[in-house]
């Protein structure tokens, strides 16, 4: 693929994605995600190629490299035919000193992956959210390319602006429905709520009259799912602490979120100054016998005042 064709294919794919979305045909919803996502990925690859104009694009975008003899007693590294994918773009951008908001593409990538495996029929609302989420990334990539998206995308640029504006209004309305909730948790107050079924952020609270977290039942405007307050809190905390949980699992550290020994909801947060269950407000102090700090991992199943070790010893004494 030549450098010129890479950029052209990127623009063509983005335009096709927008046109598929604009057709307002459910059968073209998945096609919209596939084309739009492919265009953004190609545009990101174009930025890498432009960052090394004297290099062969295959060398810039190769996913793997193997050493082969160079005919002069040394070796050279040949790039594989497979080019980098979504999961590898961020690392390659960092290596090239470029920035890309990979997190903003996560939702789009998730819908695309599901559609590829026939697990979902992406609703027009879900497609709109995916495009709106990726919109800032597209703008940043065009700026990196020193290209004017208004000129390059033509009427599809205006369509993207309208998608973004409409989605932002819906999102603001959904977030407003949760303004009265007293989360009693810094983590929950800071996190972004999302639907456990489809991952959409268009989650709307059903009963806005009650401030208690136990009345945070919601519905998803994207897929129509009913979401219990427990599910909402669990999903939000899992997403909020995703990186911290990964690091803890990798390094053997303390997980930030645990299943509460009192209510059974995975909402017991141990992070910074928080050490309680977001759902039922249970807190754990010290073991009454050995004074070790109690956590959901070491507390006794039969008593919240003892660690499991001390409870076991005392039961043997009995």
């Amino acid at each position: 693929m030549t450098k010129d064709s890479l950029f052209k294919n990127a623009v063509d794919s983005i335009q096709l994605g927008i046109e598929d979305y604009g057709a307002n045909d459910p059968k073209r919803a998945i096609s919209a995600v596939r084309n739009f996502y492919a265009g953004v990925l190609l545009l990101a690859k174009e930025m890498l190629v432009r960052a090394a104009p004297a290099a062969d694009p295959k060398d810039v975008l190769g996913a793997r490299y193997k050493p082969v003899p160079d005919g002069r007693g040394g070796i050279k590294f040949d790039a594989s035919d497979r080019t980098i994918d979504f999961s590898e773009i961020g690392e390659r951008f960092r290596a090239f000193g470029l920035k890309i908001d990979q997190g903003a593409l996560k939702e789009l990538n998730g819908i695309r992956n599901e559609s590829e495996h026939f697990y979902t029929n992406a609703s027009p609302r879900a497609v709109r959210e995916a495009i709106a989420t990726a919109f800032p990334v597209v703008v940043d990539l065009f700026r990196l390319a020193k290209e004017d998206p208004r000129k390059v995308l033509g009427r599809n640029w205006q369509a993207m602006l309208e998608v973004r504006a409409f989605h932002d209004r819906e999102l603001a309305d959904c977030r407003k429905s949760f303004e009265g909730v007293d989360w009693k948790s810094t983590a929950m107050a800071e996190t972004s709520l999302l639907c456990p079924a489809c991952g959409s952020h268009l989650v709307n609270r059903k009963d806005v009259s009650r401030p208690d977290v136990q009345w945070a039942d919601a519905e998803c405007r994207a897929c129509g799912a009913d979401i219990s307050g427990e599910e909402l809190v669990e999903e939000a905390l899992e997403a909020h602490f995703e990186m911290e949980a990964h690091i803890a699992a990798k390094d053997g550290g303390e997980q930030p979120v645990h299943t509460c020994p009192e209510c059974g909801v995975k909402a017991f947060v141990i992070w910074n100054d928080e050490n309680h269950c977001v759902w039922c407000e249970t807190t754990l102090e010290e073991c009454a016998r050995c004074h070790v700090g109690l956590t959901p991992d070491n507390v006794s199943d039969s008593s919240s005042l003892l660690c499991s070790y001390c409870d076991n010893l005392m039961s043997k004494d009995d």
Side-chain angles (χ1 to χ4, degrees):
M1 180 180 291
T2 67
K3 297 178 183 180
D4 289 340
S5 66
L6 184 62
F7 184 70
K8 183 180 184 302
N9 286 346
V11 172
D12 287 348
S13 293
I14 290 174
Q15 289 178 323
L16 281 173
I18 297 298
E19 289 168 4
D20 283 334
Y21 165 76
N24 200 27
D25 180 352
K27 295 179 180 179
R28 293 178 64 178
I30 293 176
S31 177
V33 174
R34 289 174 177 168
N35 284 323
F36 187 80
Y37 176 84
V40 176
L41 190 61
L42 287 170
L43 193 57
K45 291 179 178 181
E46 169 71 6
M47 295 309 96
L48 292 171
V49 170
R50 292 192 183 193
D56 185 330
K58 181 180 178 181
D59 294 334
V60 174
L61 303 176
R64 295 189 180 89
Y65 300 87
K66 62 181 180 180
V68 296
D70 64 2
R72 299 188 299 273
I75 62 170
K76 62 179 180 178
F77 291 88
D78 278 353
S80 64
D81 290 331
R82 187 179 78 79
T83 60
I84 50 177
D85 59 17
F86 168 81
S87 63
E88 298 157 322
I89 280 287
E91 184 178 348
R92 192 62 55 89
F93 261 63
R94 286 191 294 272
F96 277 55
L98 301 173
K99 292 183 180 180
I100 187 172
D101 185 358
Q102 234 182 326
L105 292 175
K106 186 176 181 180
E107 184 176 348
L108 178 63
N109 183 57
I111 296 175
R112 195 288 305 262
N113 286 341
E114 288 181 6
S115 67
E116 290 295 331
H117 292 89
F118 309 105
Y119 293 148
T120 185
N121 288 316
S123 71
R125 246 179 178 151
V127 177
R128 182 165 61 238
E129 183 170 11
I131 292 173
T133 302
F135 179 79
V137 179
V138 173
V139 173
D140 288 343
L141 289 173
F142 273 111
R143 284 175 180 166
L144 276 176
K146 294 182 171 56
E147 300 278 0
D148 186 344
R150 292 173 297 181
K151 295 179 180 178
V152 175
L153 295 175
R155 60 186 175 84
N156 290 302
W157 172 247
Q158 184 60 38
M160 284 184 66
L161 288 174
E162 292 171 1
V163 169
R164 174 72 178 189
F166 190 91
H167 172 264
D168 284 352
R169 288 196 298 272
E170 279 197 297
L171 184 60
D173 189 41
C174 288
R175 287 176 174 171
K176 187 176 181 180
S177 72
F178 286 93
E179 285 181 355
V181 178
D182 183 9
W183 296 113
K184 292 185 171 60
S185 164
T186 301
M188 275 303 302
E190 293 176 348
T191 192
S192 181
L193 303 175
L194 66 162
C195 173
C198 71
S200 171
H201 293 284
L202 297 178
V203 174
N204 192 70
R205 186 159 62 119
K206 293 180 179 180
D207 186 348
V208 298
S209 65
R210 300 171 184 265
D212 300 329
V213 64
Q214 284 81 8
W215 292 91
D217 293 350
E219 59 185 354
C220 177
R221 288 189 179 183
C223 71
D226 286 323
I227 310 165
S228 69
E230 296 99 317
E231 292 176 307
L232 189 73
V233 168
E234 287 183 332
E235 190 74 16
L237 290 175
E238 182 180 355
H240 184 69
F241 288 110
E242 181 179 13
M243 182 59 68
E244 291 81 2
H246 174 74
I247 293 172
K250 180 181 177 182
D251 299 338
E254 176 77 59
Q255 284 290 332
V257 185
H258 303 255
T259 298
C260 176
E262 185 66 27
C263 68
V265 178
K266 191 174 182 180
F268 199 104
V269 176
I270 301 178
W271 189 257
N272 292 335
D273 295 332
E274 293 197 49
N275 185 16
H276 66 105
C277 177
V278 174
W279 182 251
C280 71
E281 298 184 39
T282 290
T283 59
L284 298 174
E285 305 297 335
E286 291 184 347
C287 174
R289 182 174 182 274
C290 71
H291 305 294
V292 69
L294 293 175
T295 71
D297 286 339
N298 68 8
V299 70
S300 166
D301 291 335
S302 59
S303 172
S304 61
L305 300 177
L306 296 171
C307 68
S308 56
Y309 178 75
C310 288
D311 187 39
N312 185 50
L313 286 180
M314 293 180 71
S315 64
K316 288 182 177 179
D317 291 341
D318 294 340

